[in-house]
Amino acid sequence: MSEIKVMLSLAFKEAYLELVPQFERATGHRVSTSWVGSVQMMSRLKDGEAVDLVILSADSLNELIQAGIIAERQDIAKSGVAAAVRAGAPRPDIGSGEALERAVLAAKSVVYSTGPSGVYLIGLFERMGIADRIRSKVRQIQGEPAGAVVARGEAELGFQQMSELLPVPGIDIVGPLSPDVQKITIFAAGVHRRSAAADAARSLVAFFKDPAAAPVIRAKGMEPA
C-alpha cells in the first residue's frame, strides 16, 4: 500500500474530507494532505516541491502541465460563484447582472478571495465599469474563506465558490450569481511527473470520478465534472 501526498485547493475541501476516508478504507492506501491557496500552490510547485497529486482549477493545472510539472489532467468537479451576507442581514437582489451591480455599489464593504472566483470578479467588475468606484471598499483575501470575514461583520457582502461558502457558520447564502454573469470553474486533478505513488494517485482520482462519489460532491456545493 502507498502513501499519496496530495496538495489541493480549498474549493474541493469539504467533498475531499468525506471521500478520502472512504477511499482509504476501500484500498488500504493512506493519504496525506496539504491545504494550499491557489497562488501559493502554484509557487511551491514551480519551486520544485514534490507531491503525488494536485487538485486545483483546470486553468491553473493546464499551466502546470505546460510547465512540465503535471503529467495529466482529470476533471473531477465544477462550482459556480455565490454571494453571502452575515446571518440575519438583509439579502440583496443578485438575480441578474444589473441587480448584482446595484448590490455591489450599495454594499458598504465587499470581500472576495485570491482564488478563481476572485480573479473572475475583478474582471467582471471592470467589464461592468464599476471597478474604480468600488476600489476603496473591496478587500481581496487569502488564507480563509471570504464567508468568514462576512460572518465576523468585517464585510457586508462576500463572494466565493459556493463550495467554500456553504460550510461557513454565521452567514446566509444569497445565492449563486445569475446565469448572465456566472462563471463555472472546473476543478481538476493531476498526477505529478515525479510522483512516487503515481498508480495509487490515479486510483484516488478514479474514486473521485466514480458515480458513487457524485452525491457527496453535490451535497458540498459542486457538481461532478
Side-chain angles (χ1 to χ4, degrees):
M1 297 299 102
S2 300
E3 179 185 7
I4 308 167
K5 296 180 180 179
V6 183
M7 185 182 291
L8 77 155
S9 163
L10 293 173
F12 194 62
K13 179 179 179 179
E14 296 303 315
Y16 178 93
L17 286 174
E18 187 163 333
L19 290 170
V20 163
Q22 298 177 24
F23 169 80
E24 290 179 324
R25 289 193 297 270
T27 65
H29 295 309
R30 290 292 173 260
V31 181
S32 61
T33 307
S34 296
W35 308 105
V36 186
S38 299
V39 175
Q40 184 184 8
M41 188 189 306
M42 295 291 285
S43 176
R44 286 168 57 173
L45 289 167
K46 289 181 177 179
D47 285 345
E49 184 168 340
V51 297
D52 298 304
L53 187 68
V54 175
I55 302 173
L56 76 170
S57 70
D59 289 344
S60 296
L61 195 69
N62 287 341
E63 185 178 330
L64 294 172
I65 291 172
Q66 292 172 0
I69 296 170
I70 297 298
E72 57 201 45
R73 166 184 158 183
Q74 293 284 329
D75 297 344
I76 55 176
K78 55 187 177 180
S79 177
V81 181
V85 296
R86 196 174 191 182
R91 301 186 186 193
D93 176 16
I94 61 167
S96 68
E98 291 181 354
L100 174 66
E101 180 178 328
R102 290 193 296 270
V104 171
L105 288 172
K108 295 179 181 179
S109 51
V110 178
V111 64
Y112 48 80
S113 76
T114 57
S117 58
V119 172
Y120 169 68
L121 286 167
I122 291 171
L124 176 63
F125 295 152
E126 288 176 349
R127 292 192 296 275
M128 287 179 167
I130 64 173
D132 289 338
R133 297 166 64 185
I134 66 173
R135 197 178 308 279
S136 63
K137 63 179 182 180
V138 169
R139 289 176 58 195
Q140 192 172 20
I141 61 162
Q142 61 179 337
E144 66 174 337
V149 179
V150 174
R152 294 196 298 268
E154 297 173 6
E156 183 177 318
L157 188 60
F159 296 93
Q160 203 157 17
Q161 304 296 142
M162 177 68 83
S163 60
E164 293 178 85
L165 290 177
L166 274 179
V168 178
I171 62 174
D172 290 334
I173 305 295
V174 178
L177 302 190
S178 59
D180 56 326
V181 292
Q182 180 60 272
K183 165 68 172 177
I184 301 298
T185 298
I186 295 173
F187 291 90
V191 177
H192 199 289
R193 286 194 177 277
R194 294 192 285 115
S195 169
D199 288 343
R202 292 187 185 98
S203 70
L204 177 56
V205 176
F207 192 86
F208 292 147
K209 290 173 66 67
D210 190 281
V216 174
I217 291 172
R218 291 193 175 98
K220 304 304 180 181
M222 307 184 91
E223 285 290 328

